[in-house]
Structures are given as C-alpha cells and as structure tokens.
C-alpha cells in the first residue's frame, strides 16, 4: 500500500509570480525581466537533466484534471494522494469531495494573512484535513504570538502541518528570507507538542538543522518529496540515499513519510521520483514494517484514515 503524502493539484499561482511581487520594488520592472529569464533558464536546465517533458498551458476544467489525476493514481496503485494545494481551499475541497476514496486535501494559505485562523476552521468544515505552509513567505517569525490562533486551530482539530523551508522556486528563486531555516519551528513545536509537524523535502537545504529540530521535538516528522535538486548546492556530497539512511536512523521509521511533489501535466504522477525512492529503500534493506510505515502507515496515522486491506500493486 502506498500513500503519496506530498503532491499538488494543478492550478496554483506560480511561485514565479510571488517572486515578482516580492522583488519588483527592489530591482524595478526592467531588471525584474532579467530575474525571470535567469530563473526560467535554470528551471529548463533542471527539467532537461531530469528528462521531464516541458509544461504547457492547461486548458482542461478542474473536473477533467481531477479525473486525469485519478487515472494516474489508479494506474500507479496509490491508495491515497495527498494534495498540499490546488488553486485555493475551495477548489481543492471540491476536487477531494469528487474523489473521497482517493484524494486528501490540505488547506494552503499563509498563517500571517488576515483571518487565517477563521479560514483554517472553514477549510476543515469543507473537508480539508491538514495545513500546508511555505515558511519563507511568512512575514513574521513562526513563533510570533500573532500566529498563535492558527496553531490553536491546528491543535484543536488534530491537523498535521506540512511546512516547506529552504529556497522556493528552484534556481533563481527565493534564496533567503525569514523562516528559511527549519529551526524557526522550534518554539512552535515545543508549545504544541500534540501537533504533528512534517518538514518537506528532507529539509530542502537544511538537513542538519532539521535533524536538530527532530532531535529536540518528537512531534516533528520529515517527508521525502521532490527531486532534491538542492543537494547539488550544499558544500558536501549528499544524495537521496544518504538522506533516507540518516533520517531513518535518527528520526526512526515512524517519522519519515513518502512523497514525490508531483503536480502538473504532462508530467502527471512523476513515477521516476517514486521508483527511485523504492529502489533506495530496497538498497537500504529496510524491514517490511519500516517500509509499511514510510510508504503508507505514517500518513494514515497522521491523517486518521480508515483504510481498506492493502492491495497488491501490479506496477512500481
């Protein structure tokens, strides 16, 4: 049984648009074009290195995209797909409601936005089951008391919280901001010890800081999603296998969750990412119990899912 704990439903505002909004006042509109070109050039380089097809403007309706994603999930044999975002809370809730046996959705709005706590309550009422935060976009420290109402809603409803730390939007994107480092979560995790926090992408450039955060907070988990392009930019040799080994040894199998970060078509479900992780787990010779926890059990526990008997996958 496999639950992909970290995907995105197509339709989010491009992170490049957010970068434009944040930096136009710094460099001006003319130089902003240079930033866009630099970022696009690097993104294309990464795409080619990963042998992924180019993206194209999406013309299908939300319902058609949901059906296409359902077909991808069924074909790969996924028990559940957990979408971290999808073009707003209402849109993602409608997608989940149409496919409740296959999709799970997370609320995705910044905790520093006006009415964030009330919006999170509303998101739960319309069927979303977790909360996703891009920490570098939060304009106050994560432990600032102004955000306490949001964390209290999370605690009240036992919502898992997934946080992206580290750079945003690949090369040429956002490389520095407050809350970039996972240790920014330290005091929040201490203040809300019953809340399960999941740091995405093995820490996305901050594995040492994430290991320290997990050492000091047993309610901090990690997910394995993304292509881990960031490992090329740390000043030491590092790859996915080393990350899996280290976090399995330190966090334990109960705090590691499988994900791919799949999103847009024509990529669809990025099988290459999933198959690479399966291969790594094979090479590490993890026990059957550990595999079950990483690939499905931990996600089912955090999301309080009532799952049927595991189905045998015909493909991997």
């Amino acid at each position: 049984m496999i639950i992909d704990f970290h995907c995105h439903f197509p339709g989010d505002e491009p992170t490049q648009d957010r970068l434009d909004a944040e930096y136009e006042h710094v460099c001006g509109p003319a130089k902003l074009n240079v930033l866009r070109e630099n970022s696009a050039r690097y993104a294309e380089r990464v795409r080619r290195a990963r042998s992924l097809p180019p993206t194209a403007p999406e013309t299908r309706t939300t319902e058609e995209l949901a059906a296409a994603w359902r077909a991808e999930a069924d074909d790969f044999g996924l028990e559940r797909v957990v979408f971290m975002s999808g073009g707003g809370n209402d849109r993602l809730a409608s997608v989940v409601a149409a496919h409740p046996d296959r999709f799970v959705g997370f609320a995705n709005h910044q905790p520093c936005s006006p009415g964030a706590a009330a919006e999170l309550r509303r998101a739960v009422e319309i069927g979303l089951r977790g909360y996703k935060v891009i920490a570098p976009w939060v304009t106050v420290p994560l432990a600032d008391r102004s955000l306490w109402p949001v964390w209290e809603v999370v605690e009240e409803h036992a919502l898992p919280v997934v946080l992206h730390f580290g750079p945003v939007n690949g090369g040429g994107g956002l490389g520095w901001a407050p809350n970039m480092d996972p240790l920014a979560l330290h005091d929040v995790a201490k203040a809300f010890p019953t809340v399960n926090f999941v740091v995405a992408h093995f820490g996305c450039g901050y594995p040492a800081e994430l290991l320290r955060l997990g050492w000091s907070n047993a309610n901090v988990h990690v997910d394995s999603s993304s292509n881990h392009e960031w490992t090329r930019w740390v000043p030491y040799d590092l790859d996915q296998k080393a990350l899996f080994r280290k976090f399995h040894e330190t966090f334990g199998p109960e705090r590691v969750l499988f994900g791919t970060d799949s999103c847009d078509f024509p990529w669809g479900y990025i099988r290459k990412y999933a198959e690479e992780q399966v291969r790594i787990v094979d090479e590490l010779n993890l026990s059957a119990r550990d595999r079950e926890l990483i690939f499905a059990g931990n996600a089912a526990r955090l999301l309080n899912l009532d799952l049927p008997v595991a189905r045998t996958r015909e493909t991997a």
Side-chain angles (χ1 to χ4, degrees):
M1 185 185 300
I2 294 183
I3 297 173
D4 193 316
F5 188 74
H6 194 132
C7 292
H8 296 269
F9 190 77
D12 280 342
E13 173 191 6
T15 52
Q16 185 62 50
D17 292 350
R18 181 69 182 244
L19 183 71
D20 291 354
E22 291 183 348
Y23 281 94
E24 184 170 6
H25 73 282
V26 175
C27 64
K31 291 181 181 178
L32 186 62
N33 288 331
V34 179
L35 290 184
R36 291 194 191 104
E37 291 168 3
N38 289 344
S39 181
R41 189 179 304 112
Y42 185 80
E44 177 65 10
R45 173 185 167 189
V46 172
R47 183 191 69 78
R48 290 179 180 277
R50 290 279 169 173
S51 301
L52 294 171
T55 57
E58 185 58 72
T59 60
R60 286 174 288 184
T61 65
T62 297
E63 292 75 16
E64 289 169 338
L65 284 171
W69 244 108
R70 171 64 185 255
E72 292 278 291
D74 289 349
D75 187 51
F76 194 77
L78 298 175
E79 187 65 41
R80 292 287 194 281
V81 178
V82 184
F83 291 120
M84 296 288 116
S85 61
N89 293 342
D90 288 303
R91 181 171 182 262
L92 185 55
S94 70
V95 169
V96 170
H99 301 270
D101 61 327
R102 191 66 78 243
F103 297 159
V104 176
F106 274 41
N108 180 232
H109 58 280
Q110 288 303 328
C112 55
S113 60
E119 172 59 17
L120 186 54
R121 286 188 187 279
R122 190 185 72 86
V124 173
E125 292 171 357
I126 61 177
L128 301 180
R129 303 180 68 157
Y131 187 38
K132 168 68 185 300
V133 177
I134 299 180
W137 286 353
V138 180
T139 56
V140 299
L142 293 181
D144 191 279
R145 287 294 175 141
S146 66
L147 304 185
W148 236 242
V150 174
W151 307 131
E152 288 169 350
V153 173
V154 165
E155 181 181 51
E156 176 186 349
H157 291 280
L159 301 176
V161 180
V162 173
L163 298 103
H164 173 111
F165 291 97
V168 182
N169 198 35
L174 185 65
W176 179 89
N179 300 310
M180 185 73 71
D181 184 331
L183 285 170
L185 184 64
H186 182 275
D187 288 358
V188 180
K190 290 290 189 190
F192 297 91
T194 63
V195 174
N196 290 305
F197 296 96
V198 183
V199 176
H201 320 316
F202 281 130
C204 196
Y206 292 85
E209 292 78 3
L210 177 53
L211 289 166
R212 197 186 327 163
L213 179 67
W215 171 83
S216 57
N217 297 280
N219 56 327
V220 171
H221 304 63
V222 63
D223 84 37
S224 63
S225 65
S226 178
N227 59 19
H228 303 292
E229 172 71 10
W230 63 265
T231 58
R232 300 178 64 244
W233 298 97
V234 295
Y236 45 84
D237 290 337
L238 186 64
D239 59 21
Q240 281 196 73
K241 187 173 182 179
L243 288 165
F244 258 104
R245 179 189 296 110
K246 178 59 68 175
F247 280 95
H248 177 262
E249 291 173 351
T250 55
F251 276 44
E254 298 83 3
R255 289 200 277 160
V256 179
L257 295 96
F258 163 78
T260 62
D261 211 16
S262 299
C263 179
D264 297 308
F265 292 96
W267 301 359
Y269 191 65
I270 307 180
R271 297 166 182 247
K272 181 177 180 179
Y273 294 178
E275 290 166 353
E276 186 173 5
Q277 293 187 47
V278 171
R279 176 186 59 78
I280 287 170
V281 168
D282 285 344
E283 291 177 356
L284 293 175
N285 197 29
L286 301 189
S287 70
R289 172 185 175 274
D290 290 2
R291 291 165 180 259
E292 180 183 357
L293 289 172
I294 292 169
F295 284 103
N298 294 331
R301 171 175 53 84
L302 266 57
L303 294 166
N304 194 28
L305 296 177
D306 183 17
L307 295 179
V309 176
R311 294 192 296 268
T312 301
R313 294 193 310 139
E314 295 180 358
T315 61

